[in-house]
Amino acid sequence: MLSFKGYISEVIFNLRHADTDIYPYNLPVLRNLDRLPLCEKVTYIVGENGSGKSTLIEAIALAYGFNAEGGSVNFSFSTRNSSSALYKSVKLQKALNRPKDGFFLRAESFYNVATNIEEMDAIPAASKKIIDSYGGKSLHDQSHGEAFLSLFLNRFKGGGLYILDEPESALSVDRQLTFLPRMHDLLKSGSQFIISTHSPVILSYPHSIIYQISGGGLKRVKYEETEQYKSMKLFINNYSRILKELLE
């Protein structure tokens, strides 16, 4: 049996004729970006707010066929068209095998996904309700963090492509630690993750590639080299001194 090689091996950017005076093509990270090889397990993209990591994540998701506001490839709702056109300049190098499952989590619009699930479940149908795949309880009747965890624990079935934009946004540190073994189990069942994050906890999974946006470019780094790790380590080890300097 052939070993699992992931569902997307590389992202190819064709930006030769892009207008670099307009968004998103004016983002520094795109200036010299031609190819982005992906890990068959987990690929992380990290960087400061506004650096373009979510824009890259969105472009990959849309190029694959996911809905701009999140969900599976079967979701087609739209509440506000705010996605960039970058996906039109993206080609995905796909493997021969196709995922049995998939999901694009966009933290900022997950509320809209939850609403759309309720709207679809309100339509009489012979099949089971969609919310049953998310644990059976309305995502709106849970806290933001509980809803995210329900998604990870119930909706993600394995053998899937999961593209996550800042999944830590609603999760406590303890819940982030719960997410890691869940991701590990999904990876063992033949899944691939592409994640943008600010969290040094989410970022710590060992079998991964990490790309950091800094100085206007995209560079592959080790976990201990990321700004997320270095900043958190510096603060935890020196929090009294740092707080004193910040608050004086």
Side-chain angles (χ1 to χ4, degrees):
M1 182 179 177
L2 295 175
S3 61
F4 177 66
K5 298 296 184 181
Y7 302 108
I8 305 174
S9 61
E10 190 173 39
V11 183
I12 302 169
F13 296 86
N14 182 11
L15 304 173
R16 287 172 295 177
H17 304 295
D19 186 347
T20 56
D21 291 328
I22 64 172
Y23 176 82
Y25 308 106
N26 59 355
L27 289 170
V29 68
L30 296 179
R31 286 176 186 163
N32 299 303
L33 187 58
D34 296 319
R35 295 175 178 271
L36 189 67
L38 302 183
C39 179
E40 69 274 11
K41 293 183 178 293
V42 187
T43 301
Y44 293 105
I45 301 176
V46 299
E48 283 296 331
N49 293 330
S51 63
K53 64 183 183 302
S54 292
T55 301
L56 290 175
I57 285 284
E58 175 194 78
I60 296 170
L62 268 63
Y64 197 86
F66 287 106
N67 184 49
E69 294 186 48
S72 72
V73 292
N74 296 320
F75 280 69
S76 58
F77 72 94
S78 176
T79 57
R80 183 174 182 269
N81 184 13
S82 59
S83 60
S84 79
L86 180 59
Y87 74 97
K88 297 178 182 179
S89 303
V90 166
K91 179 182 178 181
L92 304 179
Q93 194 68 44
K94 299 179 182 178
L96 293 177
N97 54 319
R98 293 288 181 263
K100 296 180 293 184
D101 189 28
F103 203 92
F104 174 34
L105 170 65
R106 192 168 197 163
E108 65 184 28
S109 56
F110 186 62
Y111 178 93
N112 300 338
V113 173
T115 299
N116 188 242
I117 290 171
E118 291 193 348
E119 291 172 346
M120 290 188 290
D121 277 346
I123 301 172
S127 58
K128 69 176 185 178
K129 291 186 177 296
I130 299 170
I131 195 61
D132 291 343
S133 298
Y134 293 76
K137 182 179 179 181
S138 170
L139 298 173
H140 284 312
D141 290 341
Q142 304 177 58
S143 71
H144 205 32
E146 289 172 331
F148 271 44
L149 206 60
S150 291
L151 172 71
F152 302 142
L153 296 179
N154 299 295
R155 171 56 185 79
F156 289 11
K157 303 298 184 183
L161 174 65
Y162 304 110
I163 302 177
L164 313 180
D165 185 19
E166 300 184 9
E168 75 280 2
S169 63
L171 300 179
S172 67
V173 173
D174 283 346
R175 292 293 172 86
Q176 291 176 40
L177 290 169
T178 300
F179 169 80
L180 285 176
R182 176 57 179 158
M183 181 169 71
H184 184 59
D185 288 341
L186 291 165
L187 288 165
K188 288 191 291 185
S189 68
S191 296
Q192 183 180 21
F193 283 79
I194 306 169
I195 303 173
S196 72
T197 183
H198 291 288
S199 167
V201 175
I202 298 293
L203 189 58
S204 66
Y205 190 78
H207 309 294
S208 65
I209 289 176
I210 302 174
Y211 291 108
Q212 181 166 279
I213 303 173
S214 59
L218 197 64
K219 180 182 179 182
R220 183 172 173 176
V221 297
K222 297 178 180 179
Y223 175 62
E224 294 83 359
E225 297 172 332
T226 64
E227 294 300 327
Q228 287 74 16
Y229 173 85
K230 291 191 292 186
S231 296
M232 185 58 68
K233 181 180 179 180
L234 177 66
F235 180 77
I236 293 297
N237 291 339
N238 305 276
Y239 73 93
S240 294
R241 176 178 59 81
I242 291 174
L243 283 175
K244 183 178 180 182
E245 293 176 357
L246 289 173
L247 303 180
E248 279 185 346

